Amino acid sequence: MDFSWVKGSITKWVRMKPKRGEEPVLEFFLFAPQFILYITFTILPFMIAIPILFTSRTDFLDSAVEFVGFRNFSAIFSPPLVNDYLPAVKRTAFYTFFNYLSVYIFGLPLALIMYEYVSRLKQSFFTIIYLPYIIAPFGIGMMMSMLLSRDTGSLNLLLVELNIISQPIDIMDETVARWALPIVAGWKNAGFNMAIILAGLLSVPRETVEASIVDGVSYFQRLFFIYIPQIIPSFIIATIMCLLGSFGAFDLPVGFGGMRGNNAAMFLAVLLYKMGFAGSVSQSGTLAQAVTISVVTYVPLVLIAILLNRLQKRLE
Amino acid sequence: MHNPKKKDISSSRYTGIIGVFLLLYSALTILPFYLLFIRTFVPTGESTKLFLWLPKTPDFSLDTSFGNMAIFYSLDSDDFKKAMGIDDFIDPNLTFKEISEKYGIQPEKISAFMRPYYLFNGWIAIVKGRQFLRSLVNTVVITAGSILLGAVLSICTGSVLAGFRKRWHFLAYNMYMLQIVIPPALVMIPQFIITKELGIYDSLMGIILFNIKGGALPIMLFTSYIAGVPKELKESVTIDGGSHATYVARILFPLCKVPFASFTAIQVPLVWNDLLYPLLFLKPENYTLTPWVNTFVGGEFSTNFQAIYTGLFVSLLPLLVVYIVFQRFFIQGAMAGAVKG
């Protein structure tokens, strides 16, 4: 048999030298550390999660793990677990929708106002409006739920004192908390959304704006035909940040007491945390079922997000 | 003919209205923080009253029982005994009058010791408790380590990926971008298993490793910036006999100030304020500030609202001060990062 082709390709491989200025080995060592960390902590979890889906694992110490097939998938859609799961999905979806809306209720108007406003106080206002964004979401949630607590909350006492409300707000009430969470989140993120939309507005060529003013168009014509089309990229960033942040929201609802029995703040992430880490005693679900819930809920979302991203790139 | 300036919102007619609106909005934004600050001085017993300014210190009533002060004012009995020179177990049911009679201490001395406890017991309890300082140090260590190491690793990654000279560069870049769509809640249980297996549970380094693992934002910021660095710089390093490592260390590290500022401005609040990772991967005695506050309710201070308010306020204070001092840096960094992204 003729092995000369092997010999030939080996010599070729040995002789193959990197082009000038290229150092593949060094590049690999610069690239590898972060990539290994990234794979370990972000991609590997998916692979670990898959086998757990089909087992009866109740907690991290469970030694009698059995193969249960697809029983976990049916378990999360049947009582008692479905009574925790579906309301948590509904609450999270409600929060996500209104939190996204708040980009346009808080961020957009503030950015438009800041864009036009000329004053020495501008910087101070900007600093104050941006301030809640810096503060821990957990701290904001806890602060607001304490200041709005029914009998002792200072904000409640103040509102009653000023006769703005006749009855104190009960933050533990399901309906109140449902609205309070996205409003607080909108207020907290207002500064950030304002900043990124303002960054988009500032990149609009000044000549375009001045030409429109000379032509005598109204403010709203300018808004819809000049500003908004030019700040679409800012909206896309705000959208991505907001949607992903909201559906996995954990800190803010925990601040509102999601782990201490405030059911209205029992979001998906909080439910998953409780099922996985707070011990299966207080909860009806097992660890394997928590993993099943996260996969069933989030994996479709992740796929949709990737598809949307592809679509957006194709449109560009 | 239209008057060109007639409907312009920036004309002086509207500036006043806008100013008033911004003033109101800013006041409403400050209000909760101000009320929280005031609440750190309001005794638990007066929780149902509204205070917009510091409450007056009432005269200390010697008829209060010792146990009540311990429960509602977090009075440390050891401190009290040391200050009074008592070397005995104090029955919590005794009033201070009875204590003064039993141990022969002047009532004025007790009153003087107890007076600050009405307004400042929260601050006394928090500052005396070691946990605050420990949490603060842990938070600073984690944040500083995550930002510095994260930037170094991201610059290294960016130096390789910039320009997408090979097919796998683009693939790796897209894998990092995937991080943006993965909510932490989705992977927290497997991540916990990995942490346990790797033996990095309950170590600050473990949290730092999680924070520096690279993701969409840092890789995007640094890679796009490095891609814009003139090729001549790299070539001149090669001509002078320097390797790629020299290029990264001598040229890129000093050059990457702009993306580093954006990275820091966006990442510092996220790392500093994080609740999930420390809660998952640290034991309570090693908590950072945010999960430390989470232990209050139903924990040590469950009967002392004032201490809870104070702990919450104190936990928010450090970053608040940093923000006020470096406000321009934070806002401009975030805006620049948003435009780049």
Side-chain angles (χ1 to χ4, degrees), chain A residues 97-116:
Chain A
F97 178 74
F98 283 98
N99 190 21
Y100 181 54
L101 210 60
S102 73
V103 173
Y104 303 96
I105 297 173
F106 288 92
L108 180 61
L110 283 171
L112 290 170
I113 284 175
M114 272 296 173
Y115 181 63
E116 306 284 351

Side-chain angles (χ1 to χ4, degrees), chain B residues 14-325:
Chain B
Y14 292 101
T15 308
I17 301 171
I18 292 175
V20 171
F21 171 79
L22 285 174
L23 197 67
L24 271 175
Y25 187 88
S26 302
L28 282 177
T29 299
I30 296 285
L31 180 70
F33 297 100
Y34 175 74
L35 289 176
L36 180 68
F37 174 66
I38 293 299
R39 281 309 283 263
T40 66
F41 301 104
V42 176
T44 309
E46 309 205 33
S47 286
T48 52
K49 285 189 211 141
L50 176 65
F51 288 97
L52 295 176
W53 188 241
L54 302 189
K56 283 198 192 86
T57 311
D59 284 330
F60 179 70
S61 157
L62 285 170
D63 293 329
T64 328
S65 82
F66 183 71
N68 260 349
M69 284 308 280
I71 292 172
F72 295 111
Y73 293 87
S74 295
L75 170 65
D76 189 335
S77 62
D78 288 337
D79 278 357
F80 181 75
K81 284 193 281 192
K82 204 184 272 175
M84 296 300 135
I86 300 170
D87 200 20
D88 190 13
F89 172 75
I90 302 177
D91 181 356
N93 292 321
L94 289 181
T95 65
F96 284 93
K97 204 180 214 166
E98 288 163 345
I99 291 175
S100 109
E101 283 159 7
K102 186 174 171 188
Y103 298 100
I105 303 163
Q106 286 186 334
E108 290 77 29
K109 198 179 168 191
I110 294 182
S111 293
F113 181 81
M114 292 309 300
R115 223 174 119 85
Y117 269 82
Y118 270 108
L119 256 54
F120 301 108
N121 76 69
W123 290 89
I124 294 170
I126 296 297
V127 173
K128 261 177 49 74
R130 295 257 161 71
Q131 201 58 42
F132 164 64
L133 210 61
R134 192 163 178 179
S135 306
L136 181 64
V137 171
N138 285 350
T139 314
V140 171
V141 169
I142 287 178
T143 309
S146 303
I147 297 297
L148 293 177
L149 289 175
V152 168
L153 285 184
S154 301
I155 290 175
C156 289
T157 307
S159 80
V160 175
L161 297 186
F164 304 130
R165 287 162 291 119
K166 299 224 174 68
R167 204 179 150 70
W168 68 269
H169 290 167
F170 194 65
L171 279 173
Y173 183 81
N174 274 341
M175 270 185 98
Y176 278 118
M177 290 306 115
L178 201 63
Q179 179 264 335
I180 224 175
V181 294
I182 301 174
L186 168 58
V187 284
M188 66 183 173
I189 291 171
Q191 276 177 341
F192 185 78
I193 296 174
I194 294 171
T195 329
K196 284 268 177 169
E197 288 295 321
L198 292 179
I200 50 171
Y201 178 72
D202 197 30
S203 78
L204 299 188
M205 198 57 212
I207 307 271
I208 293 178
L209 286 179
F210 265 90
N211 288 331
I212 63 172
K213 71 181 182 330
L217 178 91
I219 301 299
M220 196 155 64
L221 276 177
F222 287 108
T223 306
S224 69
Y225 187 83
I226 293 170
V229 172
K231 270 203 178 104
E232 288 75 21
L233 284 173
K234 170 87 200 257
E235 278 162 10
S236 67
V237 171
T238 319
I239 289 166
D240 290 347
S243 65
H244 187 76
T246 325
Y247 169 64
V248 173
R250 294 284 170 81
I251 306 282
L252 287 187
F253 280 152
L255 259 185
C256 282
K257 276 178 200 136
V258 175
F260 180 70
S262 290
F263 172 69
T264 311
I266 296 175
Q267 210 73 359
V268 162
L270 296 181
V271 175
W272 182 287
N273 293 329
D274 187 31
L275 174 68
L276 186 59
Y277 281 157
L279 202 61
L280 283 180
F281 305 135
L282 294 178
K283 286 182 182 155
E285 58 271 21
N286 280 329
Y287 273 171
T288 55
L289 285 173
T290 310
W292 169 63
V293 178
N294 189 34
T295 60
F296 284 2
V297 182
E300 189 186 349
F301 300 123
S302 55
T303 46
N304 187 352
F305 282 13
Q306 192 176 356
I308 297 179
Y309 279 110
T310 313
L312 177 59
F313 183 77
V314 164
S315 83
L316 306 181
L317 200 58
L319 194 58
L320 206 65
V321 172
V322 172
Y323 168 67
I324 302 281
V325 174

Side-chain angles (χ1 to χ4, degrees), chain A residues 47-233:
Chain A
M47 293 160 196
I48 292 184
I50 291 165
I52 300 177
L53 291 175
F54 307 102
T55 63
S56 65
R57 187 178 271 271
T58 50
D59 53 43
F60 291 102
L61 301 170
D62 195 357
S63 54
V65 179
E66 279 171 43
F67 179 77
V68 295
F70 286 90
R71 231 176 292 160
N72 284 330
F73 289 87
S74 55
I76 64 171
F77 289 109
S78 50
L81 199 51
V82 75
N83 299 331
D84 286 331
Y85 173 47
L86 283 188
V89 172
K90 271 186 208 156
R91 270 177 224 129
T92 314
F94 183 91
Y95 169 80
T96 303
F97 178 74
F98 283 98
N99 190 21
Y100 181 54
L101 210 60
S102 73
V103 173
Y104 303 96
I105 297 173
F106 288 92
L108 180 61
L110 283 171
L112 290 170
I113 284 175
M114 272 296 173
Y115 181 63
E116 306 284 351
Y117 188 55
V118 188
S119 165
R120 266 182 302 161
L121 292 171
K122 190 171 173 168
Q123 178 68 35
S124 317
F125 285 142
F126 205 122
T127 306
I128 293 171
I129 294 170
Y130 197 82
L131 188 144
Y133 180 70
I134 294 289
I135 304 296
F138 169 80
I140 293 268
M142 188 165 160
M143 175 176 84
M144 288 318 237
S145 69
M146 282 173 82
L147 292 180
L148 282 169
S149 79
R150 202 162 57 98
D151 301 317
T152 60
S154 295
L155 272 177
N156 248 334
L157 297 168
L158 182 66
L159 290 172
V160 172
E161 186 80 21
L162 294 174
N163 280 325
I164 295 173
I165 50 173
S166 56
Q167 286 294 314
I169 301 166
D170 183 7
I171 196 70
M172 297 297 270
D173 181 67
E174 171 98 35
T175 324
V176 175
R178 193 196 292 159
W179 287 101
L181 272 151
I183 292 172
V184 168
W187 165 73
K188 177 182 150 44
N189 296 327
F192 182 72
N193 291 325
M194 170 182 76
I196 55 181
I197 296 173
L198 191 60
L201 280 174
L202 289 173
S203 65
V204 175
R206 194 65 216 171
E207 299 82 45
T208 325
V209 179
E210 273 160 13
S212 77
I213 294 174
V214 172
D215 285 348
V217 301
S218 75
Y219 177 75
F220 286 100
Q221 278 172 314
R222 216 160 76 214
L223 174 63
F224 285 111
F225 295 111
I226 296 177
Y227 295 155
I228 291 188
Q230 300 242 27
I231 53 176
I232 294 290

